[in-house]
Amino acid sequence: MAAWLRKLKKDIRLNHVIYWMILPALCYFVIFHYIPMYGAQIAFRKYAPGRGIWGSPWVGFENFARFFSSRQFGRLLGNTLILSGLDILFGFPMPVILALLLNEVRQSGFKRVVQTVTYIPHFISMVVICGLLVDFSLTTGLFNKLGGLFGLPAVSMLSDPRYFRPLYIASGIWQEAGWGSIIYLAALSSVDTELYDAASVDGAGKLRQVWNVTLPGIAPTIIIMLILRVGRVMDVGFEKILLLYNPSTYEVADVISTYVYRIGMLQADYSYSTAIGLFNSVINCVLLVVVNRFSRKLTETSLW
């Protein structure tokens, strides 16, 4: 331990500027992520605000058992996994594909325009995005007018369970694909151009070069981003669903995070909602560790 402390002190002296730079981020995580863990014990108590945390009676795993045995458990877990799985299946590859396409564009002016147009949705407020989706999904909205050109009947899409998931996934791709492509464009810039020249000499076309040179070159970045995404499987876009769903679409749209909001904020059942939220976080943590270990064994690429 003493040797480790001496090594740390020496490293701080040599790289003190870097440590000062990381200090704000470290303080953020300590204040807003680690200190609040103290309140997680509410999940194991029958919490009463007037008594405080320590004054509330200890009930053990009663709140967890209540959730697991509830009628909503299967629906909430299923919706969460389905929405998150669809987002990974369709949403995760889109930034990679967009980055690959932009990497092949040689006209810098056109490339900058496309990048700007695809980045902008990320910076639009979620409330504005959901407001647009609500207006466009009305029977007199844009989506129905476009569907009418192909003879499709007008429907109130956000009130129809069949359309909620496609709208959620498609709008998420539109909003985040451009922003997510930045990481992959940076990774593409580090691929050795001599590999493309060698592949071209061997007769490889553009698609073959992408498959055998480009994708292997950015594979570590893709794997790391996928590990991080799988670690957030249970964290489906809470704000977006809350702004878009309604009782008629609960069966396909209600997820664990929105249920926690209703139970905790609207019904003031703090212990029960904390238990559900803690269950959510534990599952995410377990998935992150498992996928990271699995990736390390298969590809030798991992977070740690």
Side-chain angles (χ1 to χ4, degrees):
M1 179 63 72
W4 180 82
L5 288 175
R6 287 195 299 269
K7 185 178 180 181
L8 178 62
K9 291 179 180 178
K10 181 180 179 181
D11 190 61
I12 291 176
R13 284 199 305 270
L14 294 175
N15 303 291
H16 62 277
V17 175
I18 296 177
Y19 281 95
W20 278 112
M21 291 174 63
I22 201 175
L23 185 61
L26 183 63
C27 291
Y28 166 79
F29 279 99
V30 170
I31 294 172
F32 295 102
H33 291 269
Y34 288 99
I35 293 179
M37 287 183 181
Y38 164 78
Q41 61 177 298
I42 294 175
F44 304 93
R45 297 178 181 271
K46 188 174 182 180
Y47 177 68
R51 296 182 178 181
I53 294 178
W54 290 104
S56 301
W58 184 271
V59 296
F61 291 94
E62 181 180 310
N63 292 309
F64 295 92
R66 176 185 167 191
F67 177 57
F68 297 149
S69 61
S70 67
R71 292 180 301 173
Q72 291 84 5
F73 175 71
R75 183 191 70 184
L76 295 172
L77 184 61
N79 288 340
T80 301
L81 293 177
I82 289 173
L83 283 175
S84 195
L86 290 174
D87 184 54
I88 293 175
L89 181 63
F90 296 104
F92 182 81
M94 292 309 297
V96 181
I97 295 172
L98 180 60
L100 292 174
L101 293 175
L102 288 173
N103 190 56
E104 297 298 324
V105 176
R106 295 294 174 258
Q107 190 174 356
S108 59
F110 176 73
K111 184 176 182 178
R112 285 196 295 269
V113 170
V114 172
Q115 286 178 304
T116 302
V117 171
T118 54
Y119 293 170
I120 284 177
H122 173 80
F123 298 98
I124 301 176
S125 168
M126 184 62 71
V127 176
V128 175
I129 293 291
C130 293
L132 291 173
L133 286 174
V134 170
D135 289 340
F136 291 165
S137 301
L138 297 174
T139 53
T140 57
L142 176 64
F143 295 153
N144 277 300
K145 288 183 178 180
L146 293 176
L149 298 177
F150 299 94
L152 299 177
V155 294
S156 181
M157 293 184 174
L158 287 179
S159 297
D160 191 331
R162 295 175 300 172
Y163 295 100
F164 183 87
R165 288 171 180 168
L167 284 173
Y168 177 86
I169 299 300
S171 60
I173 293 173
W174 168 72
Q175 189 175 8
E176 298 297 338
W179 180 253
S181 67
I182 294 176
I183 295 175
Y184 301 108
L185 285 171
L188 286 168
S189 65
S190 64
V191 179
D192 190 352
T193 56
E194 292 183 359
L195 295 175
Y196 292 104
D197 296 335
S200 180
V201 170
D202 289 340
K206 285 295 183 181
L207 289 177
R208 183 64 65 180
Q209 290 178 27
V210 168
W211 185 258
N212 292 312
V213 178
T214 307
L215 287 177
I218 65 173
T221 302
I222 296 174
I223 292 171
I224 291 296
M225 297 303 295
L226 182 58
I227 293 173
L228 292 173
R229 179 62 188 86
V230 172
R232 295 183 289 107
V233 161
M234 304 296 285
D235 293 333
V236 183
F238 158 74
E239 299 89 350
K240 187 175 180 181
I241 294 178
L242 194 66
L243 292 168
L244 291 178
Y245 80 161
N246 55 70
S248 64
T249 56
Y250 275 178
E251 284 300 319
V252 298
D254 197 18
V255 295
I256 292 178
S257 55
T258 54
Y259 185 66
V260 168
Y261 169 79
R262 294 202 309 275
I263 294 297
M265 299 301 293
L266 302 183
Q267 300 182 23
D269 194 343
Y270 302 115
S271 295
Y272 187 43
S273 61
T274 302
I276 300 172
L278 185 58
F279 162 77
N280 217 34
S281 300
V282 169
I283 296 300
N284 277 336
C285 183
V286 170
L287 285 174
L288 180 63
V289 173
V290 170
V291 173
N292 185 73
R293 180 173 296 182
F294 188 70
S295 174
R296 186 171 65 246
K297 288 184 177 181
L298 288 184
T299 66
E300 298 183 357
T301 300
S302 61
L303 292 175
W304 65 83

